[in-house]
Amino acid sequence: EIGKVRTTLLETTFYSRSRDISEVIRLHTLGELERLMKNDPETYLIGKWMIRVFLMMHDPTVDVRLKAIAVIHSWYSETWRDRKIQEHLDDFAQRCLSHLVGRTGDVDARVATAAIRCLRQRSLADRLGDTDFEHVVNLCVGSEEPSVREEAASFINSHLFKDPGILAPQAVPPGRRGGIRGDSAEASTGVLVSALPGGID
């Protein structure tokens, strides 16, 4: 009975408030949905709520977009014991991942950085197609924003070059991996990324 009441409240308030003219209301609504889903994991099985969160990544307000990405990040950073929820999240990622990839080109560097950080999670990175994967990698040298380049370099560290990586805090000793320095993204990204199939356009 309580579940039915909760669902009714969501259906009658969330959709309208998530499109409210006030960004404060939209942000608050997103936070309340996040809290509700954490308290009642069965809500994850209702795809329309998750779809709305993904769509809110396109909100005109930066803070709302950042919050939407943070909510999605939390979904995929947890280990779910309930197989149904895990399978639903996996299926949902497969169908909606393009929305998150699209945010890596956001006009606000904070949003783009948050999107790349979210995609670094193994559960999401493994589902990226070759084109989307290379797109994220290319941001390491193609973005004008330092924070975006650095986060893309961390993505490369996580999924391509773990040892020594391209963000190592100390210089790589001469003779190892060609003596590439690893104390900054710019110092080694061009050399390492050129080793990718197809290189950088």
Side-chain angles (χ1 to χ4, degrees):
E1 186 67 30
I2 294 178
K4 292 181 179 179
V5 172
R6 181 182 293 116
T7 299
T8 300
L9 286 172
L10 276 174
E11 291 178 344
T12 56
T13 62
F14 180 71
Y15 279 117
S16 60
R17 295 287 71 82
S18 66
R19 297 189 295 269
D20 196 278
I21 191 172
S22 169
E23 67 230 40
V24 175
I25 295 297
R26 297 197 304 274
L27 186 60
H28 177 74
T29 301
L30 190 53
E32 285 300 302
L33 178 63
E34 177 187 29
R35 184 179 63 81
L36 188 62
M37 294 180 78
K38 286 182 177 180
N39 291 336
D40 182 11
E42 289 295 318
T43 310
Y44 285 94
L45 301 177
I46 305 176
K48 56 186 175 182
W49 309 129
M50 299 177 68
I51 289 174
R52 176 52 55 181
V53 175
F54 268 86
L55 291 177
M56 291 182 79
M57 287 193 295
H58 302 280
D59 192 275
T61 301
V62 170
D63 287 342
V64 177
R65 299 201 299 274
L66 283 171
K67 180 61 177 179
I69 293 174
V71 171
I72 295 167
H73 193 131
S74 70
W75 293 348
Y76 292 96
S77 62
E78 292 193 35
T79 301
W80 296 95
R81 295 181 180 180
D82 189 316
R83 181 176 296 180
K84 289 183 179 180
I85 293 177
Q86 186 62 64
E87 291 177 350
H88 184 74
L89 284 168
D90 291 344
D91 178 67
F92 199 81
Q94 196 67 44
R95 293 186 290 115
C96 300
L97 203 55
S98 60
H99 288 279
L100 189 56
V101 174
R103 288 304 90 201
T104 64
D106 197 279
V107 295
D108 190 286
R110 293 170 296 170
V111 176
T113 300
I116 299 171
R117 186 177 302 117
C118 187
L119 288 167
R120 280 176 56 195
Q121 298 178 99
R122 176 65 63 182
S123 58
L124 294 178
D126 286 347
R127 288 178 170 76
L128 290 173
D130 290 344
T131 299
D132 287 337
F133 191 92
E134 290 183 10
H135 165 75
V136 177
V137 168
N138 287 349
L139 290 172
C140 189
V141 293
S143 175
E144 297 180 355
E145 297 291 341
S147 62
V148 174
R149 294 198 302 271
E150 183 174 354
E151 195 60 48
S154 294
F155 180 92
I156 293 172
N157 269 19
S158 297
H159 303 292
L160 286 176
F161 302 109
K162 295 183 179 181
D163 182 18
I166 60 176
L167 287 178
Q170 297 179 352
V172 179
R176 184 181 181 187
R177 296 285 179 92
I180 300 171
R181 289 183 59 83
D183 52 352
S184 71
E186 290 81 0
S188 56
T189 301
V191 177
L192 290 178
V193 176
S194 66
L196 293 173
I200 296 294
D201 293 333

